[in-house]
PDB file of all heavy atoms in Angstrom:
ATOM      1  N   ALA A   1     127.937  71.138  62.181  1.00 95.00           N
ATOM      2  CA  ALA A   1     126.930  71.805  61.815  1.00 95.00           C
ATOM      3  C   ALA A   1     127.189  73.089  61.020  1.00 95.00           C
ATOM      4  O   ALA A   1     126.661  73.404  59.899  1.00 95.00           O
ATOM      5  CB  ALA A   1     125.992  72.300  62.967  1.00 95.00           C
ATOM      6  N   ALA A   2     128.327  73.766  61.430  1.00 94.00           N
ATOM      7  CA  ALA A   2     128.821  74.947  60.854  1.00 94.00           C
ATOM      8  C   ALA A   2     129.290  74.647  59.371  1.00 94.00           C
ATOM      9  O   ALA A   2     129.036  75.493  58.334  1.00 94.00           O
ATOM     10  CB  ALA A   2     129.810  75.652  61.583  1.00 94.00           C
ATOM     11  N   ILE A   3     129.972  73.462  59.169  1.00 95.00           N
ATOM     12  CA  ILE A   3     130.470  73.047  57.827  1.00 95.00           C
ATOM     13  C   ILE A   3     129.356  72.824  57.046  1.00 95.00           C
ATOM     14  O   ILE A   3     129.240  73.198  55.772  1.00 95.00           O
ATOM     15  CB  ILE A   3     131.371  71.930  58.015  1.00 95.00           C
ATOM     16  CG1 ILE A   3     132.633  72.223  58.774  1.00 95.00           C
ATOM     17  CG2 ILE A   3     131.692  71.289  56.783  1.00 95.00           C
ATOM     18  CD1 ILE A   3     133.575  71.061  59.030  1.00 95.00           C
ATOM     19  N   ALA A   4     128.206  72.096  57.566  1.00 94.00           N
ATOM     20  CA  ALA A   4     127.118  71.785  56.694  1.00 94.00           C
ATOM     21  C   ALA A   4     126.339  73.127  56.185  1.00 94.00           C
ATOM     22  O   ALA A   4     125.865  73.085  55.094  1.00 94.00           O
ATOM     23  CB  ALA A   4     126.230  70.914  57.421  1.00 94.00           C
ATOM     24  N   ASP A   5     126.321  74.019  57.180  1.00 94.00           N
ATOM     25  CA  ASP A   5     125.568  75.260  56.896  1.00 94.00           C
ATOM     26  C   ASP A   5     126.520  76.380  56.230  1.00 94.00           C
ATOM     27  O   ASP A   5     126.058  77.434  55.892  1.00 94.00           O
ATOM     28  CB  ASP A   5     125.150  75.897  58.135  1.00 94.00           C
ATOM     29  CG  ASP A   5     124.049  75.099  58.876  1.00 94.00           C
ATOM     30  OD1 ASP A   5     123.459  74.311  58.097  1.00 94.00           O
ATOM     31  OD2 ASP A   5     123.854  75.232  60.077  1.00 94.00           O
ATOM     32  N   ARG A   6     127.761  75.997  55.990  1.00 94.00           N
ATOM     33  CA  ARG A   6     128.759  76.978  55.330  1.00 94.00           C
ATOM     34  C   ARG A   6     128.876  78.217  56.146  1.00 94.00           C
ATOM     35  O   ARG A   6     128.955  79.316  55.458  1.00 94.00           O
ATOM     36  CB  ARG A   6     128.519  77.038  53.876  1.00 94.00           C
ATOM     37  CG  ARG A   6     128.302  75.832  53.038  1.00 94.00           C
ATOM     38  CD  ARG A   6     128.156  75.959  51.607  1.00 94.00           C
ATOM     39  NE  ARG A   6     129.209  76.728  50.951  1.00 94.00           N
ATOM     40  CZ  ARG A   6     130.383  76.209  50.511  1.00 94.00           C
ATOM     41  NH1 ARG A   6     130.435  74.887  50.739  1.00 94.00           N
ATOM     42  NH2 ARG A   6     131.430  76.888  49.953  1.00 94.00           N
ATOM     43  N   ASP A   7     128.853  78.050  57.495  1.00 94.00           N
ATOM     44  CA  ASP A   7     129.004  79.155  58.353  1.00 94.00           C
ATOM     45  C   ASP A   7     130.403  79.620  58.594  1.00 94.00           C
ATOM     46  O   ASP A   7     131.100  79.153  59.393  1.00 94.00           O
ATOM     47  CB  ASP A   7     128.250  78.960  59.642  1.00 94.00           C
ATOM     48  CG  ASP A   7     128.033  80.172  60.530  1.00 94.00           C
ATOM     49  OD1 ASP A   7     128.696  81.135  60.213  1.00 94.00           O
ATOM     50  OD2 ASP A   7     127.398  80.069  61.564  1.00 94.00           O
ATOM     51  N   VAL A   8     130.931  80.361  57.627  1.00 94.00           N
ATOM     52  CA  VAL A   8     132.320  80.746  57.557  1.00 94.00           C
ATOM     53  C   VAL A   8     132.742  81.551  58.857  1.00 94.00           C
ATOM     54  O   VAL A   8     133.758  81.366  59.371  1.00 94.00           O
ATOM     55  CB  VAL A   8     132.708  81.451  56.211  1.00 94.00           C
ATOM     56  CG1 VAL A   8     134.063  81.905  56.232  1.00 94.00           C
ATOM     57  CG2 VAL A   8     132.435  80.634  55.114  1.00 94.00           C
ATOM     58  N   LEU A   9     131.862  82.478  59.218  1.00 94.00           N
ATOM     59  CA  LEU A   9     132.175  83.424  60.314  1.00 94.00           C
ATOM     60  C   LEU A   9     132.291  82.530  61.628  1.00 94.00           C
ATOM     61  O   LEU A   9     133.185  82.748  62.424  1.00 94.00           O
ATOM     62  CB  LEU A   9     130.953  84.461  60.478  1.00 94.00           C
ATOM     63  CG  LEU A   9     130.912  85.450  59.415  1.00 94.00           C
ATOM     64  CD1 LEU A   9     129.750  86.434  59.621  1.00 94.00           C
ATOM     65  CD2 LEU A   9     132.247  86.310  59.186  1.00 94.00           C
ATOM     66  N   PHE A  10     131.512  81.591  61.863  1.00 94.00           N
ATOM     67  CA  PHE A  10     131.488  80.729  62.942  1.00 94.00           C
ATOM     68  C   PHE A  10     132.827  79.980  62.937  1.00 94.00           C
ATOM     69  O   PHE A  10     133.497  79.788  64.003  1.00 94.00           O
ATOM     70  CB  PHE A  10     130.267  79.841  63.082  1.00 94.00           C
ATOM     71  CG  PHE A  10     130.338  78.873  64.296  1.00 94.00           C
ATOM     72  CD1 PHE A  10     129.885  79.321  65.594  1.00 94.00           C
ATOM     73  CD2 PHE A  10     130.876  77.584  64.180  1.00 94.00           C
ATOM     74  CE1 PHE A  10     129.967  78.551  66.590  1.00 94.00           C
ATOM     75  CE2 PHE A  10     130.891  76.761  65.347  1.00 94.00           C
ATOM     76  CZ  PHE A  10     130.411  77.260  66.530  1.00 94.00           C
ATOM     77  N   LEU A  11     133.101  79.331  61.809  1.00 94.00           N
ATOM     78  CA  LEU A  11     134.253  78.514  61.713  1.00 94.00           C
ATOM     79  C   LEU A  11     135.546  79.312  61.994  1.00 94.00           C
ATOM     80  O   LEU A  11     136.533  78.842  62.654  1.00 94.00           O
ATOM     81  CB  LEU A  11     134.328  77.904  60.275  1.00 94.00           C
ATOM     82  CG  LEU A  11     133.296  76.815  60.055  1.00 94.00           C
ATOM     83  CD1 LEU A  11     133.329  76.298  58.620  1.00 94.00           C
ATOM     84  CD2 LEU A  11     133.442  75.579  61.042  1.00 94.00           C
ATOM     85  N   ARG A  12     135.624  80.532  61.376  1.00 93.00           N
ATOM     86  CA  ARG A  12     136.815  81.347  61.602  1.00 93.00           C
ATOM     87  C   ARG A  12     136.858  81.738  63.002  1.00 93.00           C
ATOM     88  O   ARG A  12     138.069  81.753  63.583  1.00 93.00           O
ATOM     89  CB  ARG A  12     136.710  82.592  60.702  1.00 93.00           C
ATOM     90  CG  ARG A  12     136.979  82.338  59.280  1.00 93.00           C
ATOM     91  CD  ARG A  12     136.882  83.727  58.469  1.00 93.00           C
ATOM     92  NE  ARG A  12     137.155  83.407  57.057  1.00 93.00           N
ATOM     93  CZ  ARG A  12     136.974  84.257  56.155  1.00 93.00           C
ATOM     94  NH1 ARG A  12     136.408  85.521  56.323  1.00 93.00           N
ATOM     95  NH2 ARG A  12     137.294  83.919  54.815  1.00 93.00           N
ATOM     96  N   ASP A  13     135.810  81.897  63.794  1.00 93.00           N
ATOM     97  CA  ASP A  13     135.869  82.281  65.198  1.00 93.00           C
ATOM     98  C   ASP A  13     136.298  81.170  66.052  1.00 93.00           C
ATOM     99  O   ASP A  13     136.964  81.338  66.997  1.00 93.00           O
ATOM    100  CB  ASP A  13     134.512  82.827  65.535  1.00 93.00           C
ATOM    101  CG  ASP A  13     134.417  83.200  67.127  1.00 93.00           C
ATOM    102  OD1 ASP A  13     135.047  84.187  67.362  1.00 93.00           O
ATOM    103  OD2 ASP A  13     133.764  82.453  67.771  1.00 93.00           O
ATOM    104  N   GLN A  14     135.912  79.965  65.631  1.00 93.00           N
ATOM    105  CA  GLN A  14     136.157  78.781  66.462  1.00 93.00           C
ATOM    106  C   GLN A  14     137.514  78.119  66.077  1.00 93.00           C
ATOM    107  O   GLN A  14     138.198  77.423  66.950  1.00 93.00           O
ATOM    108  CB  GLN A  14     135.106  77.738  66.368  1.00 93.00           C
ATOM    109  CG  GLN A  14     133.716  78.318  66.969  1.00 93.00           C
ATOM    110  CD  GLN A  14     133.838  78.422  68.481  1.00 93.00           C
ATOM    111  OE1 GLN A  14     134.463  77.511  69.208  1.00 93.00           O
ATOM    112  NE2 GLN A  14     133.297  79.469  68.940  1.00 93.00           N
ATOM    113  N   VAL A  15     137.970  78.122  64.791  1.00 94.00           N
ATOM    114  CA  VAL A  15     138.960  77.321  64.312  1.00 94.00           C
ATOM    115  C   VAL A  15     140.333  78.069  64.242  1.00 94.00           C
ATOM    116  O   VAL A  15     141.417  77.573  64.631  1.00 94.00           O
ATOM    117  CB  VAL A  15     138.705  76.609  62.898  1.00 94.00           C
ATOM    118  CG1 VAL A  15     139.845  75.844  62.414  1.00 94.00           C
ATOM    119  CG2 VAL A  15     137.428  75.742  63.029  1.00 94.00           C
ATOM    120  N   ILE A  16     140.253  79.319  63.701  1.00 93.00           N
ATOM    121  CA  ILE A  16     141.413  80.153  63.474  1.00 93.00           C
ATOM    122  C   ILE A  16     142.244  80.337  64.689  1.00 93.00           C
ATOM    123  O   ILE A  16     143.541  80.168  64.715  1.00 93.00           O
ATOM    124  CB  ILE A  16     141.227  81.382  62.817  1.00 93.00           C
ATOM    125  CG1 ILE A  16     140.704  81.206  61.466  1.00 93.00           C
ATOM    126  CG2 ILE A  16     142.372  82.319  62.820  1.00 93.00           C
ATOM    127  CD1 ILE A  16     140.190  82.534  60.769  1.00 93.00           C
ATOM    128  N   PRO A  17     141.609  80.473  65.936  1.00 93.00           N
ATOM    129  CA  PRO A  17     142.528  80.645  67.128  1.00 93.00           C
ATOM    130  C   PRO A  17     143.136  79.445  67.649  1.00 93.00           C
ATOM    131  O   PRO A  17     144.024  79.439  68.570  1.00 93.00           O
ATOM    132  CB  PRO A  17     141.404  81.136  68.185  1.00 93.00           C
ATOM    133  CG  PRO A  17     140.306  81.569  67.399  1.00 93.00           C
ATOM    134  CD  PRO A  17     140.276  80.795  66.293  1.00 93.00           C
ATOM    135  N   LEU A  18     142.834  78.202  67.053  1.00 94.00           N
ATOM    136  CA  LEU A  18     143.370  76.967  67.534  1.00 94.00           C
ATOM    137  C   LEU A  18     144.914  76.934  67.397  1.00 94.00           C
ATOM    138  O   LEU A  18     145.286  77.429  66.307  1.00 94.00           O
ATOM    139  CB  LEU A  18     142.700  75.737  66.953  1.00 94.00           C
ATOM    140  CG  LEU A  18     141.128  75.546  67.156  1.00 94.00           C
ATOM    141  CD1 LEU A  18     140.662  74.406  66.523  1.00 94.00           C
ATOM    142  CD2 LEU A  18     141.026  75.379  68.667  1.00 94.00           C
ATOM    143  N   HIS A  19     145.558  76.286  68.291  1.00 92.00           N
ATOM    144  CA  HIS A  19     146.904  75.853  68.004  1.00 92.00           C
ATOM    145  C   HIS A  19     147.002  74.889  66.945  1.00 92.00           C
ATOM    146  O   HIS A  19     146.089  74.152  66.693  1.00 92.00           O
ATOM    147  CB  HIS A  19     147.626  75.434  69.299  1.00 92.00           C
ATOM    148  CG  HIS A  19     149.072  75.129  69.233  1.00 92.00           C
ATOM    149  ND1 HIS A  19     149.613  73.842  68.755  1.00 92.00           N
ATOM    150  CD2 HIS A  19     150.125  76.019  69.468  1.00 92.00           C
ATOM    151  CE1 HIS A  19     150.946  73.955  68.790  1.00 92.00           C
ATOM    152  NE2 HIS A  19     151.236  75.111  69.154  1.00 92.00           N
ATOM    153  N   GLU A  20     148.164  74.871  66.239  1.00 92.00           N
ATOM    154  CA  GLU A  20     148.266  73.940  65.095  1.00 92.00           C
ATOM    155  C   GLU A  20     147.984  72.361  65.544  1.00 92.00           C
ATOM    156  O   GLU A  20     147.450  71.579  64.753  1.00 92.00           O
ATOM    157  CB  GLU A  20     149.618  73.949  64.513  1.00 92.00           C
ATOM    158  CG  GLU A  20     150.877  73.661  65.322  1.00 92.00           C
ATOM    159  CD  GLU A  20     152.098  74.065  64.838  1.00 92.00           C
ATOM    160  OE1 GLU A  20     152.319  75.347  64.520  1.00 92.00           O
ATOM    161  OE2 GLU A  20     153.101  73.247  64.649  1.00 92.00           O
ATOM    162  N   SER A  21     148.531  72.040  66.769  1.00 91.00           N
ATOM    163  CA  SER A  21     148.237  70.636  67.234  1.00 91.00           C
ATOM    164  C   SER A  21     146.749  70.430  67.469  1.00 91.00           C
ATOM    165  O   SER A  21     146.253  69.244  67.272  1.00 91.00           O
ATOM    166  CB  SER A  21     149.049  70.366  68.456  1.00 91.00           C
ATOM    167  OG  SER A  21     148.635  71.334  69.567  1.00 91.00           O
ATOM    168  N   GLU A  22     146.057  71.451  67.995  1.00 93.00           N
ATOM    169  CA  GLU A  22     144.499  71.372  68.276  1.00 93.00           C
ATOM    170  C   GLU A  22     143.786  71.222  66.891  1.00 93.00           C
ATOM    171  O   GLU A  22     142.947  70.385  66.771  1.00 93.00           O
ATOM    172  CB  GLU A  22     144.092  72.530  69.038  1.00 93.00           C
ATOM    173  CG  GLU A  22     144.733  72.685  70.380  1.00 93.00           C
ATOM    174  CD  GLU A  22     144.219  73.942  71.219  1.00 93.00           C
ATOM    175  OE1 GLU A  22     144.005  74.993  70.493  1.00 93.00           O
ATOM    176  OE2 GLU A  22     144.268  73.974  72.371  1.00 93.00           O
ATOM    177  N   LEU A  23     144.378  72.035  65.925  1.00 95.00           N
ATOM    178  CA  LEU A  23     143.623  71.893  64.648  1.00 95.00           C
ATOM    179  C   LEU A  23     143.990  70.556  64.006  1.00 95.00           C
ATOM    180  O   LEU A  23     143.065  70.018  63.356  1.00 95.00           O
ATOM    181  CB  LEU A  23     144.126  72.962  63.739  1.00 95.00           C
ATOM    182  CG  LEU A  23     143.707  73.121  62.383  1.00 95.00           C
ATOM    183  CD1 LEU A  23     142.030  73.037  62.309  1.00 95.00           C
ATOM    184  CD2 LEU A  23     144.130  74.192  61.441  1.00 95.00           C
ATOM    185  N   GLY A  24     145.160  69.983  64.245  1.00 93.00           N
ATOM    186  CA  GLY A  24     145.448  68.641  63.718  1.00 93.00           C
ATOM    187  C   GLY A  24     144.459  67.648  64.396  1.00 93.00           C
ATOM    188  O   GLY A  24     144.054  66.657  63.731  1.00 93.00           O
ATOM    189  N   ASP A  25     144.241  67.750  65.756  1.00 92.00           N
ATOM    190  CA  ASP A  25     143.363  66.766  66.311  1.00 92.00           C
ATOM    191  C   ASP A  25     141.893  66.925  65.748  1.00 92.00           C
ATOM    192  O   ASP A  25     141.249  65.863  65.614  1.00 92.00           O
ATOM    193  CB  ASP A  25     143.319  67.050  67.825  1.00 92.00           C
ATOM    194  CG  ASP A  25     144.583  66.576  68.530  1.00 92.00           C
ATOM    195  OD1 ASP A  25     145.312  65.780  68.014  1.00 92.00           O
ATOM    196  OD2 ASP A  25     144.872  67.139  69.596  1.00 92.00           O
ATOM    197  N   LEU A  26     141.525  68.088  65.429  1.00 94.00           N
ATOM    198  CA  LEU A  26     140.187  68.357  64.992  1.00 94.00           C
ATOM    199  C   LEU A  26     140.054  67.754  63.642  1.00 94.00           C
ATOM    200  O   LEU A  26     139.085  67.069  63.338  1.00 94.00           O
ATOM    201  CB  LEU A  26     139.907  69.936  64.840  1.00 94.00           C
ATOM    202  CG  LEU A  26     138.561  70.368  64.172  1.00 94.00           C
ATOM    203  CD1 LEU A  26     137.361  69.745  64.875  1.00 94.00           C
ATOM    204  CD2 LEU A  26     138.509  71.861  63.994  1.00 94.00           C
ATOM    205  N   LEU A  27     141.058  67.935  62.737  1.00 94.00           N
ATOM    206  CA  LEU A  27     141.111  67.253  61.449  1.00 94.00           C
ATOM    207  C   LEU A  27     140.957  65.769  61.509  1.00 94.00           C
ATOM    208  O   LEU A  27     140.407  65.149  60.603  1.00 94.00           O
ATOM    209  CB  LEU A  27     142.372  67.710  60.709  1.00 94.00           C
ATOM    210  CG  LEU A  27     142.354  69.203  60.284  1.00 94.00           C
ATOM    211  CD1 LEU A  27     143.814  69.541  59.699  1.00 94.00           C
ATOM    212  CD2 LEU A  27     141.288  69.562  59.308  1.00 94.00           C
ATOM    213  N   GLU A  28     141.602  65.199  62.501  1.00 90.00           N
ATOM    214  CA  GLU A  28     141.538  63.717  62.615  1.00 90.00           C
ATOM    215  C   GLU A  28     140.275  63.320  63.181  1.00 90.00           C
ATOM    216  O   GLU A  28     139.931  62.073  62.955  1.00 90.00           O
ATOM    217  CB  GLU A  28     142.734  63.281  63.467  1.00 90.00           C
ATOM    218  CG  GLU A  28     144.089  63.380  62.897  1.00 90.00           C
ATOM    219  CD  GLU A  28     145.301  62.779  63.815  1.00 90.00           C
ATOM    220  OE1 GLU A  28     145.031  62.747  64.999  1.00 90.00           O
ATOM    221  OE2 GLU A  28     146.252  62.466  63.273  1.00 90.00           O
ATOM    222  N   ALA A  29     139.537  64.175  63.807  1.00 91.00           N
ATOM    223  CA  ALA A  29     138.284  63.624  64.476  1.00 91.00           C
ATOM    224  C   ALA A  29     137.056  63.749  63.592  1.00 91.00           C
ATOM    225  O   ALA A  29     136.149  63.137  63.828  1.00 91.00           O
ATOM    226  CB  ALA A  29     138.089  64.584  65.771  1.00 91.00           C
ATOM    227  N   ILE A  30     137.034  64.584  62.555  1.00 93.00           N
ATOM    228  CA  ILE A  30     136.018  64.779  61.649  1.00 93.00           C
ATOM    229  C   ILE A  30     136.190  63.891  60.387  1.00 93.00           C
ATOM    230  O   ILE A  30     137.212  63.304  60.249  1.00 93.00           O
ATOM    231  CB  ILE A  30     135.856  66.272  61.271  1.00 93.00           C
ATOM    232  CG1 ILE A  30     137.093  66.803  60.497  1.00 93.00           C
ATOM    233  CG2 ILE A  30     135.483  67.177  62.365  1.00 93.00           C
ATOM    234  CD1 ILE A  30     137.026  68.186  60.025  1.00 93.00           C
ATOM    235  N   SER A  31     135.129  63.762  59.669  1.00 90.00           N
ATOM    236  CA  SER A  31     135.139  62.891  58.525  1.00 90.00           C
ATOM    237  C   SER A  31     135.992  63.455  57.401  1.00 90.00           C
ATOM    238  O   SER A  31     136.198  64.647  57.319  1.00 90.00           O
ATOM    239  CB  SER A  31     133.735  62.588  58.009  1.00 90.00           C
ATOM    240  OG  SER A  31     133.027  63.772  57.517  1.00 90.00           O
ATOM    241  N   GLY A  32     136.220  62.618  56.328  1.00 87.00           N
ATOM    242  CA  GLY A  32     136.900  63.042  55.230  1.00 87.00           C
ATOM    243  C   GLY A  32     136.257  64.267  54.427  1.00 87.00           C
ATOM    244  O   GLY A  32     136.979  65.225  54.103  1.00 87.00           O
ATOM    245  N   SER A  33     135.129  64.059  54.205  1.00 91.00           N
ATOM    246  CA  SER A  33     134.316  65.078  53.473  1.00 91.00           C
ATOM    247  C   SER A  33     134.200  66.494  54.264  1.00 91.00           C
ATOM    248  O   SER A  33     134.317  67.489  53.767  1.00 91.00           O
ATOM    249  CB  SER A  33     132.907  64.542  53.193  1.00 91.00           C
ATOM    250  OG  SER A  33     132.176  64.355  54.423  1.00 91.00           O
ATOM    251  N   GLN A  34     134.141  66.333  55.668  1.00 93.00           N
ATOM    252  CA  GLN A  34     134.154  67.468  56.459  1.00 93.00           C
ATOM    253  C   GLN A  34     135.565  68.241  56.387  1.00 93.00           C
ATOM    254  O   GLN A  34     135.608  69.344  56.446  1.00 93.00           O
ATOM    255  CB  GLN A  34     133.762  67.112  57.910  1.00 93.00           C
ATOM    256  CG  GLN A  34     132.296  66.800  58.028  1.00 93.00           C
ATOM    257  CD  GLN A  34     131.961  66.400  59.468  1.00 93.00           C
ATOM    258  OE1 GLN A  34     132.713  65.805  60.175  1.00 93.00           O
ATOM    259  NE2 GLN A  34     130.803  66.833  59.996  1.00 93.00           N
ATOM    260  N   ARG A  35     136.527  67.349  56.392  1.00 93.00           N
ATOM    261  CA  ARG A  35     137.913  68.006  56.334  1.00 93.00           C
ATOM    262  C   ARG A  35     138.127  68.795  55.074  1.00 93.00           C
ATOM    263  O   ARG A  35     138.692  69.879  55.121  1.00 93.00           O
ATOM    264  CB  ARG A  35     139.020  66.919  56.377  1.00 93.00           C
ATOM    265  CG  ARG A  35     139.284  66.308  57.772  1.00 93.00           C
ATOM    266  CD  ARG A  35     140.587  65.414  57.733  1.00 93.00           C
ATOM    267  NE  ARG A  35     140.377  64.199  57.055  1.00 93.00           N
ATOM    268  CZ  ARG A  35     140.005  63.026  57.639  1.00 93.00           C
ATOM    269  NH1 ARG A  35     139.783  63.121  58.977  1.00 93.00           N
ATOM    270  NH2 ARG A  35     139.887  61.894  56.956  1.00 93.00           N
ATOM    271  N   GLN A  36     137.725  68.251  53.893  1.00 92.00           N
ATOM    272  CA  GLN A  36     137.813  68.897  52.641  1.00 92.00           C
ATOM    273  C   GLN A  36     137.175  70.270  52.676  1.00 92.00           C
ATOM    274  O   GLN A  36     137.558  71.294  52.239  1.00 92.00           O
ATOM    275  CB  GLN A  36     137.406  67.991  51.491  1.00 92.00           C
ATOM    276  CG  GLN A  36     138.142  66.785  51.354  1.00 92.00           C
ATOM    277  CD  GLN A  36     139.598  66.994  51.027  1.00 92.00           C
ATOM    278  OE1 GLN A  36     140.069  68.115  50.586  1.00 92.00           O
ATOM    279  NE2 GLN A  36     140.526  66.030  51.189  1.00 92.00           N
ATOM    280  N   ALA A  37     135.844  70.127  53.230  1.00 94.00           N
ATOM    281  CA  ALA A  37     134.987  71.433  53.202  1.00 94.00           C
ATOM    282  C   ALA A  37     135.603  72.501  54.184  1.00 94.00           C
ATOM    283  O   ALA A  37     135.431  73.659  53.885  1.00 94.00           O
ATOM    284  CB  ALA A  37     133.604  71.056  53.683  1.00 94.00           C
ATOM    285  N   LEU A  38     136.166  71.923  55.354  1.00 95.00           N
ATOM    286  CA  LEU A  38     136.635  72.924  56.299  1.00 95.00           C
ATOM    287  C   LEU A  38     137.789  73.616  55.755  1.00 95.00           C
ATOM    288  O   LEU A  38     137.987  74.923  55.809  1.00 95.00           O
ATOM    289  CB  LEU A  38     137.073  72.206  57.547  1.00 95.00           C
ATOM    290  CG  LEU A  38     137.715  73.006  58.665  1.00 95.00           C
ATOM    291  CD1 LEU A  38     136.781  74.048  59.219  1.00 95.00           C
ATOM    292  CD2 LEU A  38     138.189  72.227  59.809  1.00 95.00           C
ATOM    293  N   VAL A  39     138.644  72.961  55.060  1.00 94.00           N
ATOM    294  CA  VAL A  39     139.868  73.684  54.323  1.00 94.00           C
ATOM    295  C   VAL A  39     139.446  74.650  53.332  1.00 94.00           C
ATOM    296  O   VAL A  39     139.908  75.713  53.222  1.00 94.00           O
ATOM    297  CB  VAL A  39     140.827  72.520  53.801  1.00 94.00           C
ATOM    298  CG1 VAL A  39     141.960  73.210  53.050  1.00 94.00           C
ATOM    299  CG2 VAL A  39     141.443  71.634  54.809  1.00 94.00           C
ATOM    300  N   ALA A  40     138.393  74.280  52.562  1.00 92.00           N
ATOM    301  CA  ALA A  40     137.975  75.050  51.500  1.00 92.00           C
ATOM    302  C   ALA A  40     137.253  76.338  52.049  1.00 92.00           C
ATOM    303  O   ALA A  40     137.460  77.492  51.595  1.00 92.00           O
ATOM    304  CB  ALA A  40     136.923  74.328  50.575  1.00 92.00           C
ATOM    305  N   LEU A  41     136.565  76.124  53.176  1.00 94.00           N
ATOM    306  CA  LEU A  41     135.805  77.256  53.683  1.00 94.00           C
ATOM    307  C   LEU A  41     136.678  78.296  54.357  1.00 94.00           C
ATOM    308  O   LEU A  41     136.450  79.472  54.317  1.00 94.00           O
ATOM    309  CB  LEU A  41     134.691  76.789  54.736  1.00 94.00           C
ATOM    310  CG  LEU A  41     133.540  76.074  54.158  1.00 94.00           C
ATOM    311  CD1 LEU A  41     132.695  75.386  55.194  1.00 94.00           C
ATOM    312  CD2 LEU A  41     132.630  77.026  53.350  1.00 94.00           C
ATOM    313  N   LEU A  42     137.832  77.732  55.045  1.00 93.00           N
ATOM    314  CA  LEU A  42     138.689  78.681  55.737  1.00 93.00           C
ATOM    315  C   LEU A  42     139.596  79.323  54.737  1.00 93.00           C
ATOM    316  O   LEU A  42     140.158  80.483  54.885  1.00 93.00           O
ATOM    317  CB  LEU A  42     139.585  77.855  56.652  1.00 93.00           C
ATOM    318  CG  LEU A  42     138.855  77.319  57.921  1.00 93.00           C
ATOM    319  CD1 LEU A  42     139.841  76.546  58.822  1.00 93.00           C
ATOM    320  CD2 LEU A  42     138.254  78.571  58.747  1.00 93.00           C
TER     321      LEU A  42
END
């Protein structure tokens, strides 16, 4: 939902503290379009 709404503040609050392995699991769990958008927004 945050990716769809381009909510950068929420994404930074939730994603930046993740360990690299946790972020890797997140990237594998979301769709390809969401991955590209997440990388761009961060």
Side-chain angles (χ1 to χ4, degrees):
I3 293 174
D5 295 337
R6 303 184 64 82
D7 189 345
V8 178
L9 292 178
F10 178 84
L11 290 174
R12 286 178 176 171
D13 178 66
Q14 292 294 317
V15 176
I16 292 177
L18 296 180
H19 185 270
E20 60 194 57
S21 63
E22 296 174 333
L23 179 53
D25 288 342
L26 175 60
L27 292 172
E28 291 184 334
I30 59 181
S31 66
S33 60
Q34 288 177 322
R35 280 194 287 268
Q36 300 295 345
L38 177 62
V39 174
L41 289 170
L42 291 178

